[in-house]
Amino acid sequence: MTLLTTWPESGPETVIRRTADPAEIAAALAPVGVRYEQWPVREDVPADADSDAVFAAYRTEIDRLNAEEGFQTVDVVALHPSDDPEWPEKAKAARQKFLAEHTHDDDDEVRFFVAGSGIFYLHVAGEVHAVYCEKGDLLGVPRGTTHWFDMGTSPAFTAIRFFHEEDGWIGTFTGSPIADRFPDFDAIHAGYTA
């Protein structure tokens, strides 16, 4: 189940909104240009499925979104715990890349969660929206929107990424420490699943 929590940008002491209702989430995010929708979950697609299996399972939805948005590149990214002794360091490095507030000047950030979960934090119009996404959730963050992403200390997700530009993910970091003031993935996940 997805969860949206909204706070003032000053900090998380006051909760403006907290909802797990998909229609309320879509309605709350639409005014800031963020696309939120749910796609059917394909239970027969394992969490660690390869790209070919993911594309085959979601071909109809991918084709529809490509027709609507004109994406040039679609790929699959996955991070799942492994027995590799270097996994903890690899996971930490992957997480650190996205934890600082940034924007994308030339492209939207559009992700569909095939498996697992992650949180997009959107810093827009004086508020911070934490969108806890799980399998079946699609989130489209418009270019120029300040945001960050947290996958937690033990990332476990598979997502389809959509790009208008062939260069893929290019972030422009704001230098703001705002992300440090808000609950991270692990804190929200613990409270959400408790």
Side-chain angles (χ1 to χ4, degrees):
M1 183 183 343
T2 308
L3 177 68
L4 170 65
T5 306
T6 304
W7 304 281
E9 67 185 358
S10 58
E13 296 77 22
T14 303
V15 174
I16 296 171
R17 175 186 306 105
R18 186 173 171 92
T19 181
D21 180 280
E24 289 179 18
I25 292 169
L29 297 177
V32 295
V34 174
R35 178 184 196 141
Y36 170 76
E37 59 187 60
Q38 291 185 316
W39 290 1
V41 173
R42 308 284 193 258
E43 297 293 350
D44 58 334
V45 178
D48 61 350
D50 66 16
S51 296
D52 290 340
V54 170
F55 288 140
Y58 289 97
R59 176 57 51 205
T60 300
E61 291 83 2
I62 292 168
D63 289 347
R64 176 187 57 84
L65 192 59
N66 278 340
E68 290 174 10
E69 298 286 337
F71 292 110
Q72 299 297 310
T73 304
V74 180
D75 69 11
V76 174
V77 63
L79 280 173
H80 295 279
S82 81
D83 294 334
D84 178 351
E86 296 179 17
W87 165 250
E89 285 304 312
K90 289 178 181 177
K92 182 178 179 181
R95 182 181 189 215
Q96 287 302 122
K97 179 178 180 179
F98 306 108
L99 276 178
E101 183 182 68
H102 60 277
T103 64
H104 302 288
D105 299 331
D106 298 324
D107 209 345
D108 300 340
E109 185 161 352
V110 180
R111 304 291 181 266
F112 170 71
F113 284 80
V114 174
S117 57
I119 300 176
F120 280 91
Y121 295 81
L122 313 168
H123 181 196
V124 184
E127 296 179 335
V128 172
H129 307 274
V131 188
Y132 183 103
C133 295
E134 293 186 322
K135 66 180 176 179
D137 292 329
L138 177 113
L139 193 73
V141 180
R143 70 187 73 204
T145 302
T146 51
H147 66 284
W148 64 96
F149 176 74
D150 191 1
M151 59 187 84
T153 53
S154 186
F157 70 90
T158 299
I160 302 172
R161 304 186 304 174
F162 297 84
F163 299 102
H164 290 102
E165 303 294 326
E166 291 185 19
D167 293 337
W169 194 95
I170 300 173
T172 303
F173 292 89
T174 67
S176 170
I178 189 168
D180 299 336
R181 296 198 313 259
F182 289 86
D184 66 6
F185 174 91
D186 293 332
I188 291 175
H189 180 76
Y192 182 55
T193 59

